[in-house]
Amino acid sequence: MATDFTVRRARSADARRLAELRRTFKREDHEGQPPVPVRPREEAERWIRERLGNGRRLAWVAESGGDVCGHVFLRPVERMPEPYGGDTSIGYVTNFFGTPPRRNEGIGSALLEALELHARGAGFDTLVVWPSDRGSPLCRRSGFRPPEELSELPLDT
């Protein structure tokens, strides 16, 4: 297993590369038949830069040779004040991706470890993720487990 990478907090300056990787990530969802993008990459780049800059999203990147080869985003979800305690934030883990040539090298585990370390230090109560089929085994190895209480209502239109 190669370990020629480092994990660090993402910066606003990473927005362009993160937007490029977002396209690569979503292209995989279409299994070789990707549609023509309806939004320019620059739109995602602006969105990422803004949210990393104002703290609405946090992200960690894996970097090797000066290039970002993996990332994970965290969306803190503030809970209503609870008069009897138990109102700590939860974290929504999203946009978790490693470039195909760098998979199975420990990058995903290292990214989740950095995110978890931050979440524990920030006093988060829980981390939530909806992993892809490919990402499910890694999430389970990292301690994520199926929820006992979570329910969802899909609002497909």
Side-chain angles (χ1 to χ4, degrees), residues 7-10 55-60 72-77 89-93 110-127:
V7 172
R8 62 169 174 81
R9 277 282 291 271
R56 287 178 55 200
R57 293 283 195 284
L58 306 173
W60 286 261
V72 63
F73 281 71
L74 176 67
R75 171 64 162 122
V77 180
S89 294
I90 62 171
Y92 172 44
V93 180
L111 286 166
L112 283 178
E113 185 179 313
L115 184 147
E116 182 182 348
L117 184 64
H118 169 82
R120 287 182 186 282
F124 281 38
D125 179 66
T126 303
L127 293 175

Side-chain angles (χ1 to χ4, degrees), residues 4 12 19-20 33 37 40 45 48 56 65 69 82 88 110-111 121 132-133 137 142 147 149 152:
D4 64 333
S12 294
E20 291 168 354
Q33 304 296 322
E45 183 180 341
I48 292 167
R56 287 178 55 200
C69 55
E82 168 62 51
T88 55
L111 286 166
S132 66
D133 291 341
S142 296
E149 298 178 6
E152 67 177 353

Side-chain angles (χ1 to χ4, degrees), residues 1 6 14 16-17 26 30 52 56-57 78 81 131 137:
M1 180 183 321
T6 58
D14 296 314
R16 181 182 184 100
R17 179 65 174 141
K26 296 311 290 180
H30 296 280
L52 288 178
R56 287 178 55 200
R57 293 283 195 284
E78 186 178 31

Side-chain angles (χ1 to χ4, degrees), residues 12 30 39 54 72 84 86 90 95 105 114 127 135-136:
S12 294
H30 296 280
R39 292 186 167 141
N54 67 20
V72 63
Y84 306 106
I90 62 171
N95 203 41
E105 295 182 2
L127 293 175
S136 287

